[in-house]
Amino acid sequence: MEQKEKILIVDDQYGIRVLLCEIFKKDGYQVFEAANGVLALEAIHKENPSLVLLDMKIPGMDGLEILKKLKETHPHIKVIMMTAYGELNLINEALESGAEAHFSKPFDIDDVRMVIHNSLKNKE
């Protein structure tokens, strides 16, 4: 049987994690979640996900910091950032640091699903 792709969802907002987990599980992915940077990095080392959906604004270690640490140790993992509106400078820095794409919250869940599906389909 084909191995399920693993997705890690990193967001400090519980509701968003639950929503995204439900949707991606229904889409057939194996889904993990983390509420902060420390837990996210632990989950990355333990589970080695194919893709990380990463919120930009997380208390403690922010999304950019998590992205940079992740890319140092796991450069093959695809990262898609989630941001609040108006964080263009952060988005540009994230894209330069290796993020694939970004979404502004509130996002259209079908757009997110499509980008994740396409991103995982186009593995190097």
Side-chain angles (χ1 to χ4, degrees):
M1 199 178 122
E2 196 182 327
Q3 182 70 25
K4 281 186 183 178
E5 296 278 11
K6 294 180 180 181
I7 296 177
L8 173 64
I9 296 163
V10 184
D11 198 308
D12 61 316
Q13 290 178 284
Y14 177 73
I16 289 179
R17 290 199 316 272
V18 169
L19 170 78
L20 292 170
C21 280
E22 286 301 307
I23 287 163
F24 293 123
K25 279 179 185 161
K26 282 189 184 125
D27 283 351
Y29 298 108
Q30 201 176 343
V31 186
F32 304 92
E33 57 179 284
N36 62 47
V38 173
L39 294 173
L41 293 171
E42 282 173 10
I44 287 161
H45 289 295
K46 202 169 116 200
E47 302 297 343
N48 194 21
S50 304
L51 185 139
V52 177
L53 202 51
L54 179 56
D55 189 31
M56 191 72 85
K57 286 274 191 249
I58 297 179
M61 195 186 304
D62 71 12
L64 274 176
E65 209 179 322
I66 297 167
L67 171 67
K68 288 172 181 167
K69 284 186 181 347
L70 181 164
K71 286 294 183 181
E72 279 170 21
T73 56
H74 296 74
H76 62 282
I77 294 177
K78 294 177 181 281
V79 180
I80 295 175
M81 305 300 291
M82 297 181 288
T83 63
Y85 65 93
E87 296 175 338
L88 207 59
N89 55 336
L90 292 175
I91 291 164
N92 289 335
E93 192 177 339
L95 293 171
E96 285 164 17
S97 299
E100 295 263 308
H102 73 277
F103 286 98
S104 295
K105 292 179 183 176
F107 43 72
D108 179 323
I109 194 61
D110 290 323
D111 290 347
V112 176
R113 289 172 66 207
M114 191 180 72
V115 167
I116 285 181
H117 176 76
N118 291 338
S119 186
L120 288 171
K121 214 172 56 182
N122 300 327
K123 282 171 108 172
E124 285 86 273

